[in-house]
């Protein structure tokens, strides 16, 4: 004969065996606790992922979903490293997980996460583990903060500070070097006057004068980088400037390079100096040509771009608003990430012969107009440089 259990007393079908009702209540209680924990974790801004001792995902909060584009249903039960890691980081992250699963807690770790769309996000993790009844690690918990934008801002600020310091140095060198060249040219001219037209010495002094002219041209470039001069700016139709300069650019790049224009900016009016805009075009076209020794395609495009407040902050010193983009791309050799970080620095060059002032001059001109410039490149996939100038109208 059975009796109804008293309040708080477990129910049994027979001695020692819980009834189905008690089991159901226990399952409901566990599910309620699980739902409560999931709901709490979904309110947290940090990424929280829980892995079992084999590295399979058992919990994946809403912040993880927002950061990666995956839903929990898509990732549940799948090994963490199959989804989110770039190939170079799979083994190192497995090593960290193995340490955690063994009960050793390397608490901090930073690595990239790959989103569903293939974008890389840099995540800073704090890790811990939960032990089971047997004293072994049952779950590994990672709490992450997305530091992608923060890291980019730090890098861009560092680059801007470095460019400013190098620019000041370049301006100072240009000023002093200019004084030296002026003296050399003056002495050469005085000596030249005392020599006959057909004398060998006069021919040598003519060579000195030509070398001084080349040096003066370099100084002008250095001054653009270090101390952007005030120029008379007028309203220019960037589409028209590109179109009118294209004939000259075709001669510069040669017959092996195809020039493709895509002038899609509806309002391409910028406030700038025409000669300096042409210099930007020429410098970028020459760089592109040199990157395609076997020929290829040089593409020049324009477009209108709206720069948000957040995006403006990432480019340091520019204002949000409407910009006209001038893009110059090539199908050449491309550059690796390390090289790309230095392309706008004065005197940096990958060429056997060259001053390394082409892109740094572009940088100085564009900054002087209140704009900004970016570069993207991959080895064997060409290079794209984009210049953004504030739209004037």
């Amino acid at each position: 004969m059975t009796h109804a259990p008293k309040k708080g007393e477990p129910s049994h079908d027979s001695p020692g065996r819980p009834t189905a009702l008690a089991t159901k209540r226990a399952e409901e209680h566990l599910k309620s606790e699980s739902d409560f924990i999931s709901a709490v974790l979904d309110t947290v801004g940090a990424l929280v992922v829980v892995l079992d001792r084999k590295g399979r995902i058992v919990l994946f909060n809403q912040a993880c979903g927002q950061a990666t584009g995956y839903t929990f249903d898509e990732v549940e039960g799948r090994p963490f490293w199959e989804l989110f890691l770039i190939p170079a980081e799979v083994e190192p992250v497995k090593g960290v997980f193995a340490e955690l699963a063994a009960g050793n807690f390397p608490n901090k770790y930073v690595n990239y996460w790959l989103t569903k769309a293939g974008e890389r996000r840099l995540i800073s993790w704090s890790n811990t583990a939960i032990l089971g009844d047997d004293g072994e690690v049952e779950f590994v918990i990672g709490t992450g903060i997305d530091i992608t934008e923060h890291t980019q801002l730090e890098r861009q600020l560092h680059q801007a500070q470095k460019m400013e310091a190098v620019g000041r140095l370049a301006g100072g060198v240009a000023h002093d070097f200019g004084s030296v060249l002026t003296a050399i040219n003056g002495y050469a001219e005085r000596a030249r006057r005392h020599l006959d037209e057909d004398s060998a010495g006069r021919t040598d002094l003519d060579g000195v004068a030509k070398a001084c002219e080349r040096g003066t041209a370099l100084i002008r470039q250095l001054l653009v980088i270090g101390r952007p001069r005030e120029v008379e700016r007028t309203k220019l139709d960037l589409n028209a400037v590109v179109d009118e300069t294209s004939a000259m650019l075709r001669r510069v790049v040669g017959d092996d390079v195809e020039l493709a224009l895509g002038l899609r900016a509806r309002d391409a009016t910028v406030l700038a100096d025409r000669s300096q805009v042409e210099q930007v075009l020429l410098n970028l076209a020459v760089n592109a040509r040199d990157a395609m020794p076997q020929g290829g395609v040089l593409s020049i495009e324009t477009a209108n771009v709206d720069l948000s407040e957040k995006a403006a902050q990432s480019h340091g010193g520019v204002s949000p608003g409407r910009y006209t983009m001038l893009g110059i791309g090539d199908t050449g050799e491309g550059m690796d990430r390390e090289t790309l970080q230095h392309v706008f620095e004065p005197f940096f060059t990958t060429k056997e012969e060259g001053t390394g002032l082409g892109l740094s001059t572009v940088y100085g001109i564009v900054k002087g107009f209140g704009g900004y410039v970016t570069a993207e490149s991959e080895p064997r996939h060409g290079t794209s440089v984009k210049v953004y100038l504030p739209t004037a109208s």
Side-chain angles (χ1 to χ4, degrees):
M1 180 175 179
T2 62
H3 65 276
K6 296 178 182 178
K7 187 175 182 180
E9 178 184 350
S11 177
H12 293 77
D13 286 327
S14 59
R17 293 185 59 191
T19 64
L21 178 60
T23 302
K24 183 177 180 182
R25 284 176 178 169
E27 289 174 349
E28 288 175 348
H29 179 70
L30 288 173
K31 184 177 185 306
S32 176
E33 284 188 346
S34 176
D35 290 344
F36 174 75
I37 293 170
S38 295
V40 171
L41 291 178
D42 281 342
T43 66
V44 176
L47 286 68
V48 180
V49 60
V50 179
L51 311 176
D52 66 15
R53 64 181 67 188
K54 292 186 177 180
R56 296 172 299 202
I57 298 169
V58 297
L59 193 147
F60 185 81
N61 76 337
Q62 190 171 324
C64 287
Q66 292 171 345
T68 65
Y70 286 100
T71 65
F72 177 59
D73 289 340
E74 291 176 300
V75 303
E76 184 180 12
R78 296 180 65 179
F80 173 76
W81 33 81
E82 283 186 4
L83 292 169
F84 305 117
L85 301 183
I86 61 175
E89 291 186 344
V90 171
E91 291 307 318
V93 170
K94 280 185 175 181
V96 173
F97 177 79
E99 287 289 305
L100 287 163
N104 302 318
F105 302 151
N107 197 34
K108 300 287 185 181
Y109 194 74
V110 176
N111 69 281
Y112 282 102
W113 254 27
L114 276 179
T115 70
K116 193 174 183 179
E119 180 188 4
R120 292 186 183 190
R121 309 296 300 177
L122 189 63
I123 313 296
S124 176
W125 294 100
S126 295
N127 303 305
T128 189
I130 295 177
L131 304 181
D133 293 337
D134 57 1
E136 299 294 324
V137 171
E138 187 169 3
F139 298 107
V140 170
I141 303 174
T143 303
I145 303 295
D146 189 335
I147 59 172
T148 309
E149 279 76 21
H150 177 75
T151 304
Q152 288 173 346
L153 284 172
E154 281 189 338
R155 188 180 299 121
Q156 287 163 356
L157 176 61
H158 175 71
Q159 180 69 8
Q161 290 171 334
K162 181 169 66 173
M163 288 297 293
E164 183 179 358
V166 172
R168 287 176 182 170
L169 175 63
V173 169
H175 183 270
D176 293 343
F177 187 41
S179 299
V180 173
L181 280 181
T182 300
I184 292 172
N185 203 34
Y187 285 122
E189 182 59 30
R190 285 175 59 185
R192 189 171 174 274
R193 291 174 189 163
H194 297 290
L195 297 173
D196 295 332
E197 287 285 344
D198 56 350
S199 70
R202 184 157 185 162
T203 302
D204 290 340
L205 289 172
D206 287 341
V208 171
K210 288 180 180 178
C212 286
E213 288 177 9
R214 290 195 295 272
T216 302
L218 288 176
I219 287 171
R220 283 197 293 268
Q221 287 183 284
L222 285 171
L223 288 172
V224 168
I225 299 163
R227 302 171 187 173
R229 61 188 176 92
E230 287 296 324
V231 294
E232 185 177 349
R233 303 181 190 180
T234 57
K235 284 188 175 182
L236 299 175
D237 182 342
L238 198 55
N239 286 340
V241 173
V242 173
D243 191 50
E244 292 163 10
T245 311
S246 61
M248 177 191 70
L249 295 179
R250 283 191 171 90
R251 291 194 297 271
V252 168
V253 299
D255 296 335
D256 292 337
V257 175
E258 176 189 347
L259 183 61
L261 301 183
L263 310 180
R264 293 185 293 274
R266 293 186 178 181
D267 181 3
T269 306
V270 298
L271 196 61
D273 173 73
R274 184 185 178 102
S275 65
Q276 289 197 336
V277 171
E278 289 175 347
Q279 185 178 355
V280 166
L281 277 166
L282 182 60
N283 286 10
L284 293 176
V286 168
N287 265 32
R289 178 202 64 192
D290 293 346
M292 300 182 287
Q294 308 303 320
V297 178
L298 169 64
S299 58
I300 303 178
E301 59 177 336
T302 62
N304 293 120
V305 176
D306 289 312
L307 190 68
S308 68
E309 187 84 37
K310 182 178 179 181
Q313 291 175 358
S314 70
H315 293 291
V318 301
S319 303
R322 195 160 180 78
Y323 285 74
T324 301
M325 184 277 293
L326 170 65
I328 293 87
D330 65 63
T331 57
E333 301 166 350
M335 295 173 279
D336 58 30
R337 189 179 296 274
E338 176 64 25
T339 303
L340 189 62
Q341 291 178 355
H342 301 285
V343 291
F344 294 116
E345 296 175 8
F347 311 114
F348 179 81
T349 180
T350 58
K351 304 172 187 176
E352 292 183 4
E353 295 182 3
T355 62
L357 296 177
L359 285 176
S360 53
T361 300
V362 169
Y363 183 92
I365 290 173
V366 174
K367 291 291 284 185
F369 291 150
Y372 64 100
V373 57
T374 65
E376 296 178 358
S377 186
E378 287 186 22
R380 299 177 299 282
H381 288 85
T383 300
S384 174
V385 177
K386 292 182 179 180
V387 169
Y388 297 83
L389 299 175
T391 303
S393 58

